[in-house]
Amino acid sequence: MVNKKTKFVSKDIMKTSIRGAFLKLNPKYMIKNPVMFVVEIGFIICLLLAFLPNLINDGSDNASKYSMLVSIILFITLLFANFAESVAEGRGKAQAETLKKTKKDTKARKILDAGKEIEISSNDLKKGDVVLVKVGEIIPNDGEIIEGIASIDESAITGESAPVTKESGGDFSSVTGGTLVVSDWIKVRISSDPGESFLDKMISLVEGASRQKTPNEIALNTLLVSLTIIFLIVIITLYPIANYSNVKISVSTLIALMVCLIPTTIGALLSAIGIAGMDRVTRFNVIAMSGKAVEACGDVDTMILDKTGTITFGNRLASDFINVDGIDKSDLIEYAMISSLKDDTPEGKSTVELAKKLGSKVNPADYEDASFVEFTAANKMSGIDLKNGVMIRKGSGEAIIKFITERGGDVPSDLQAKVESISKLGGTPLVVCVDNVIYGIIYLKDTVKPGLRQRFERLRKIGIKTIMCTGDNPLTAATIAAEAGVDGYIAECKPEDKIEAIKKEQTLGKIVAMTGDGTNDAPALAQADVGIAMNSGTSSAKEAANMVDLDSDPTKILEVIEIGKQLLITRGSLTTFSIANDIAKYFAIIPAIFTLAIPQMKVLNIMGLNSPSSAIISALIFNAIIIPCLIPLAMKGVKYEPMSASKMLGKNMLIYGLGGVICPFIGIKLIDILVFPLLGMLGI
């Protein structure tokens, strides 16, 4: 079960993160992060200069102390950077440990070709094997039900306590290893070899073992490396320029300057931001098969959505009561409600609810002794027989007409027209009669889920187009599309039409997302840039998609896209903040280096820092402590609000650009006030 509500950093995560911060100092690991690897090289050089002052410095005691202080601050900077990544990984590993408890070596009843059963370990099952799972037993591995029907407790995977019904055939035949059969029995054909099950993949992905850097992350990393190389060249050329100006700059000072100017803040947090993005999706009970999938969510331009189960509830619910000529509508409502009092279907319950909303005064207690007539495929109607002999029925037009004509009743002249008008709109007409008199029609329709119009409007604000796919006729599709507020629709849609729609959008340079659960959805899920399969769906759908929703809620794609947007915004905001930081550090260190030889440079010391040494040390300390200060923001993400790209850019530049400039000015000045007396005590 994925735990959605956990502490930001638990004691266990803190311990493993501190340990990980030291272990990651290994140069073989650090070289994967070029920016921080440069900082590590600087730390090693400063440490050598502290113990071997005659190597490059003037050999004075002050130079050794200064180099030692710089090396300590650089070491702390490295630890903070590694700690940020370790915290992100630790949160994932904590979830993985919970999942590992679910994975057990269970016994399986393997069915041989001759029908004989043998009991083997679940670890010995192979793809294609058939097993029998009875009530109270754990499903040994992923597979498809080929026979039987059962209620499955999937709480170990989804966290949802209510069992779900799975049966052979259709889109709900897929079962996951580690889940429990709570009723009946099923025969399952195993679909994965040991170590390759869905649970194994979840564990690997959640703990970060399979995380690959995303294209945007690689591109940003390339930019950071380029900036690092540029500043490295600047520092190298600064040394002879300083000598020419009769300014003596120690190697430790040059290293401090370089570390402050290269983008260490975002370099330290970049990996943590990516890991945290996957972590946020996972805590939302969606398993992303790669970081690329999460990132692609942030770039989505078009969403293709199934109507049934995504935009609508999928159950036809009572929407209106339409009386025939000569009948009072209140009488129709009363008899429609009475006929549905003992009907536990969604149609029956919704009829009762709608009747109550419209003011029906029927008291259910008055009809407890009445006999309920269940709907069957043969009679195509249901209803209730009262103790006084009155028969109330509701059902298809044909069935009710046959029912009343057999009893000498007449068919109202306007009935057929009203039935046909409802059918053309994609609704289901249920005709209501009392004995041999038809009172009217219950209008059933597939109801749009509440709040979807507002959510589609949120997506529209950030430039995402929504397209509804449905097998309904164009008239029904247009009605539902207008009610839901989607931007477009495809009526009488077949599986190949979905693929065609995706390809059409992609040829226009759009990033496309869609959801699905059936085998017929698999090609479209594979074609889409972001494909979210339902955990309740078929194995082929889950294999084709790059995300799996454990809760099987198709509308969750809306939230997943917002998480992807949040990931990109967080990365961009912290990059802006990091680069803006360098401006303040420039005004802190450059004047400090040159003021003694070039007094005119003092005009650039706008912060009024006390001495060259305190200015450099203060800037270096701020550069280190800003990293852990930003870890919570990197983990939780920048608050996301739907808005246009231009507004978002303006907002981020104002908050993280201007804030990134102002914050170091204040921070470095405060640190300088505290550090200057201490440096005086050390004689630096």
Side-chain angles (χ1 to χ4, degrees):
M1 177 176 63
V2 179
N3 187 5
K4 302 176 194 176
K5 295 182 180 180
T6 57
K7 291 182 180 179
F8 172 63
V9 179
S10 65
K11 288 183 179 179
D12 291 337
I13 292 176
M14 180 65 76
K15 289 178 183 177
T16 57
S17 297
I18 292 172
R19 182 170 177 268
F22 284 93
L23 293 176
K24 290 178 187 291
L25 291 171
N26 186 333
K28 289 182 179 179
Y29 186 88
M30 290 299 297
I31 201 169
K32 296 177 183 178
N33 187 339
V35 176
M36 299 314 298
F37 183 62
V38 169
V39 177
E40 185 169 48
I41 293 173
F43 155 69
I44 294 169
I45 294 172
C46 288
L47 192 63
L48 288 173
L49 293 176
F51 290 102
L52 302 170
N54 293 315
L55 190 63
I56 298 177
N57 286 333
D58 57 11
S60 66
D61 187 46
N62 283 354
S64 295
K65 290 179 182 178
Y66 179 73
S67 295
M68 177 58 74
L69 186 56
V70 171
S71 66
I72 290 172
I73 298 171
L74 293 182
F75 182 70
I76 293 171
T77 303
L78 290 168
L79 288 180
F80 282 158
N82 291 343
F83 178 76
E85 186 173 350
S86 296
V87 167
E89 291 176 346
R91 283 160 65 90
K93 287 176 180 176
Q95 294 181 60
E97 287 303 316
T98 305
L99 290 170
K100 284 177 181 177
K101 292 176 183 177
T102 303
K103 185 173 170 57
K104 302 172 183 176
D105 180 16
T106 58
K107 294 297 181 181
R109 304 169 187 266
K110 181 180 176 181
I111 301 176
L112 303 179
D113 293 337
K116 184 180 177 182
E117 290 181 21
I118 59 168
E119 193 174 87
I120 63 172
S121 167
S122 60
N123 292 327
D124 295 329
L125 287 172
K126 295 179 181 179
K127 188 175 182 179
D129 287 345
V130 176
V131 296
L132 173 66
V133 190
K134 297 182 178 180
V135 61
E137 296 179 348
I138 299 288
I139 296 173
N141 208 340
D142 296 355
E144 296 275 350
I145 299 174
I146 59 173
E147 188 180 337
I149 180 171
S151 293
I152 313 292
D153 179 0
E154 296 186 329
S155 59
I157 304 295
T158 66
E160 177 59 54
S161 58
V164 293
T165 302
K166 297 290 184 81
E167 60 184 318
S168 59
D171 295 339
F172 299 96
S173 60
S174 171
V175 290
T176 306
T179 55
L180 175 70
V181 175
V182 293
S183 75
D184 304 295
W185 59 270
I186 48 174
K187 284 185 181 178
V188 179
R189 179 176 285 114
I190 302 300
S191 59
S192 62
D193 290 320
E196 298 177 0
S197 69
F198 179 62
L199 193 57
D200 290 314
K201 290 177 183 177
M202 281 176 63
I203 292 168
S204 179
L205 288 161
V206 168
E207 67 183 354
S210 298
R211 195 185 100 83
Q212 301 293 323
K213 287 188 176 181
T214 65
N216 281 352
E217 198 172 342
I218 293 169
L220 182 55
N221 206 45
T222 303
L223 173 63
L224 299 183
V225 171
S226 301
L227 290 173
T228 301
I229 293 171
I230 291 169
F231 282 120
L232 194 58
I233 294 171
V234 169
I235 297 302
I236 292 171
T237 56
L238 188 63
Y239 190 77
I241 292 172
N243 282 339
Y244 180 79
S245 303
N246 295 318
V247 176
K248 184 172 179 59
I249 305 176
S250 69
V251 173
S252 296
T253 297
L254 286 173
I255 290 172
L257 176 61
M258 181 189 67
V259 169
C260 283
L261 293 185
I262 64 176
T264 49
T265 306
I266 187 61
L269 296 172
L270 184 59
S271 182
I273 293 169
I275 296 170
M278 289 189 69
D279 176 73
R280 281 196 295 277
V281 171
T282 303
R283 289 175 189 276
F284 204 62
N285 258 13
V286 174
I287 298 298
M289 298 306 179
S290 67
K292 184 179 179 181
V294 180
E295 192 171 270
C297 287
D299 290 325
V300 164
D301 302 295
T302 304
M303 285 176 56
I304 295 181
L305 304 150
D306 272 328
K307 185 203 76 172
T308 306
T310 304
I311 292 175
T312 63
F313 284 104
N315 293 322
R316 296 184 180 271
L317 307 177
S319 174
D320 196 6
F321 298 104
I322 302 170
N323 56 299
V324 296
D325 290 343
I327 297 294
D328 190 275
K329 188 172 182 177
S330 61
D331 291 335
L332 167 63
I333 294 172
E334 180 178 338
Y335 286 119
M337 181 174 177
I338 294 171
S339 70
S340 304
L341 287 175
K342 297 188 177 184
D343 184 354
D344 289 330
T345 64
E347 293 88 347
K349 290 179 179 178
S350 65
T351 299
V352 172
E353 288 175 10
L354 181 60
K356 287 180 179 177
K357 286 180 183 177
L358 295 176
S360 174
K361 303 298 183 182
V362 172
N363 183 5
D366 295 339
Y367 300 94
E368 287 183 356
D369 295 333
S371 302
F372 176 60
V373 179
E374 290 190 22
F375 176 90
T376 66
N379 63 25
K380 292 184 180 179
M381 60 182 175
S382 64
I384 198 167
D385 290 338
L386 305 183
K387 297 199 79 177
N388 61 7
V390 174
M391 296 181 290
I392 306 171
R393 297 288 185 270
K394 61 176 182 181
S396 69
E398 292 179 0
I400 296 298
I401 289 172
K402 182 181 178 183
F403 180 80
I404 66 154
T405 52
E406 287 177 351
R407 287 159 179 75
D410 296 323
V411 179
S413 58
D414 60 333
L415 178 66
Q416 194 62 33
K418 290 179 177 178
V419 167
E420 288 178 0
S421 66
I422 291 173
S423 299
K424 285 179 181 178
L425 290 172
T428 300
L430 285 185
V431 179
V432 178
C433 73
V434 181
D435 290 329
N436 62 350
V437 179
I438 291 178
Y439 275 65
I441 306 163
I442 303 171
Y443 176 13
L444 302 178
K445 72 172 185 176
D446 202 352
T447 309
V448 172
K449 293 182 178 179
L452 275 188
R453 174 176 280 276
Q454 291 77 12
R455 293 166 80 181
F456 288 142
E457 183 60 34
R458 281 168 61 90
L459 294 174
R460 198 172 293 111
K461 284 181 181 178
I462 55 176
I464 295 177
K465 181 171 74 172
T466 50
I467 299 174
M468 179 186 78
C469 291
T470 175
D472 291 332
N473 62 65
L475 183 59
T476 303
T479 303
I480 296 292
E483 189 176 345
V486 293
D487 298 310
Y489 64 89
I490 302 172
E492 298 175 345
C493 183
K494 299 182 287 293
E496 53 268 29
D497 294 330
K498 293 180 183 178
I499 300 173
E500 190 62 34
I502 293 169
K503 287 181 177 179
K504 182 180 177 181
E505 292 293 320
Q506 289 173 333
T507 54
L508 298 174
K510 307 291 187 182
I511 304 296
V512 184
M514 79 158 287
T515 62
D517 56 10
T519 301
N520 61 345
D521 291 325
L525 288 169
Q527 180 67 40
D529 300 283
V530 178
I532 303 182
M534 303 299 102
N535 188 46
S536 61
T538 61
S539 297
S540 56
K542 288 190 276 189
E543 288 293 329
N546 48 23
M547 286 186 168
V548 177
D549 175 20
L550 300 181
D551 296 330
S552 299
D553 177 7
T555 61
K556 199 180 286 186
I557 189 173
L558 304 173
E559 282 83 2
V560 171
I561 284 177
E562 291 191 347
I563 291 174
K565 290 282 185 187
Q566 186 186 38
L567 168 64
L568 296 181
I569 293 168
T570 301
R571 187 183 293 151
S573 299
L574 291 182
T575 301
T576 303
F577 185 88
S578 176
I579 295 173
N581 265 211
D582 295 338
I583 297 173
K585 297 171 196 170
Y586 172 88
F587 280 102
I589 296 181
I590 296 298
I593 294 174
F594 289 97
T595 296
L596 293 178
I598 310 173
Q600 293 85 349
M601 293 285 285
K602 192 172 183 180
V603 72
L604 293 177
N605 185 17
I606 58 178
M607 283 184 270
L609 302 178
N610 288 294
S611 71
S613 296
S614 70
I616 294 167
I617 295 300
S618 298
L620 208 56
I621 291 174
F622 178 85
N623 191 64
I625 64 175
I626 196 64
I627 295 171
C629 289
L630 291 175
I631 290 177
L633 185 62
M635 295 291 104
K636 295 179 181 178
V638 173
K639 186 179 179 181
Y640 170 76
E641 294 177 4
M643 64 181 70
S644 65
S646 57
K647 284 186 179 179
M648 195 177 296
L649 177 62
K651 181 182 177 182
N652 286 344
M653 289 301 292
L654 180 65
I655 296 175
Y656 297 97
L658 187 60
V661 173
I662 295 173
C663 183
F665 274 96
I666 298 171
I668 291 172
K669 178 61 180 177
L670 292 174
I671 294 170
D672 179 73
I673 294 170
L674 297 172
V675 164
F676 180 67
L678 297 175
L679 294 179
M681 293 171 59
L682 293 172
I684 298 176

